[in-house]
Amino acid sequence: SPPGDHRHLPPFPPRRSSHLPIEKITSVWHDASELKKESKDPAYFFGVAKDGEAVVGVVTAKKQNEVIKVPRLYVLKEYQGEGIGKTLLSLGIAAFPTCARCELGVEDDNAAAMNFYKRQGFTDTGKIYKETVEGVNVTLRIFEKSLLHTKKEA
């Protein structure tokens, strides 16, 4: 099934971090009550990719002023490389067509994700965001992409 707008996300396992146990990431970054609250907020877009009934990819995008923030984009490892992440990311961006820029954070040890976002036209801003999750320090590199397109003169 193609990905689409989905307002009730099932639990989805995030990428395993070398610095942070998966249970801690899930309990904080993917808290069910927080997801439920976000799902009712029109500033958020949730996209889901399925294989039959199984969820194989998810994206969350949020409009914040004129910037799209992408706090989560996950595709199960066995489905990576099939264009699912690219499609989900495109849907998240397309949900907010008036925004001028898209921004996201990538764990500094996730080279595969950094390369993926670079292939999608994102650049590393050089900005670092540090967060403490359940007593563990997490470092995110901030990537951005301009969404402004120059119009051709008629």
Side-chain angles (χ1 to χ4, degrees):
S1 298
D5 191 9
H6 187 80
R7 294 290 170 180
H8 302 287
L9 284 180
F12 193 83
R15 183 186 75 80
R16 184 171 208 75
S17 169
S18 59
H19 300 295
L20 195 62
I22 195 165
E23 299 80 18
K24 289 186 179 183
I25 290 176
T26 301
S27 69
V28 176
W29 286 350
H30 310 291
D31 177 69
S33 63
E34 192 63 28
L35 287 173
K36 186 175 181 180
K37 185 172 75 174
E38 291 173 1
S39 75
K40 295 176 182 178
D41 185 337
Y44 282 87
F45 169 85
F46 292 90
V48 175
K50 288 181 155 187
D51 183 0
E53 291 300 309
V55 174
V56 300
V58 296
V59 67
T60 302
K62 178 186 180 190
K63 181 180 180 184
Q64 190 172 10
N65 299 317
E66 292 306 311
V67 177
I68 300 169
K69 305 273 185 160
V70 180
R72 54 184 85 77
L73 174 61
Y74 300 109
V75 175
L76 290 177
K77 189 169 187 78
E78 56 270 27
Y79 288 87
Q80 292 176 6
E82 297 181 19
I84 295 169
K86 180 178 181 177
T87 299
L88 287 169
L89 182 60
S90 294
L91 286 170
I93 291 171
F96 305 107
T98 62
C99 289
R101 186 167 56 92
C102 184
E103 183 179 285
L104 49 87
V106 182
E107 284 185 71
D108 67 345
D109 68 341
N110 191 346
M114 287 186 227
N115 288 330
F116 167 79
Y117 290 117
K118 286 176 184 175
R119 287 192 309 273
Q120 307 316 309
F122 284 79
T123 56
D124 186 340
T125 65
K127 296 177 189 169
I128 300 291
Y129 174 75
K130 294 186 182 248
E131 179 178 3
T132 301
V133 180
E134 297 287 313
V136 178
N137 294 325
V138 178
T139 301
L140 300 175
R141 300 190 68 79
I142 306 303
F143 281 69
E144 70 178 10
K145 177 179 182 176
S146 173
L147 303 176
L148 297 177
H149 303 288
T150 56
K151 295 181 180 179
K152 292 183 179 179
E153 296 296 322

